[in-house]
Amino acid sequence: VIADQVTGRKGPNYGYASAFEGALTNGTECRIVGQERTWLQLELDSSRSCWVPAPTIEIWQGGKM
């Protein structure tokens, strides 16, 4: 996550409720498991996933961004 903070949503737009209490903050690491238009579905751990706007994420691959 590269935004200062971003709310993880239950679906791929701002109309969906928050997926969990609190926001994701800069430096949070996650795995991208889906994409719909300009939203990415993230897996934070085995029990938490959410959707965030794509511009709030920086993709890191094998030591290179």
Side-chain angles (χ1 to χ4, degrees):
V1 174
I2 58 171
D4 288 337
Q5 62 179 6
V6 62
T7 299
R9 304 272 174 194
K10 291 183 178 182
N13 73 45
Y14 291 105
Y16 284 91
S18 177
F20 41 80
E21 191 173 319
L24 302 175
T25 57
N26 186 293
T28 300
E29 294 186 9
C30 53
R31 188 167 65 126
I32 297 169
V33 295
Q35 181 174 5
E36 188 170 319
R37 296 178 306 277
T38 60
W39 286 74
L40 298 174
Q41 184 179 24
L42 308 179
E43 184 178 86
L44 303 168
D45 56 42
S46 62
S47 65
R48 294 192 316 161
S49 65
C50 65
W51 291 85
V52 297
T56 64
I57 299 295
E58 183 172 73
I59 298 171
W60 181 73
Q61 296 179 356
K64 296 185 179 187
M65 288 190 233

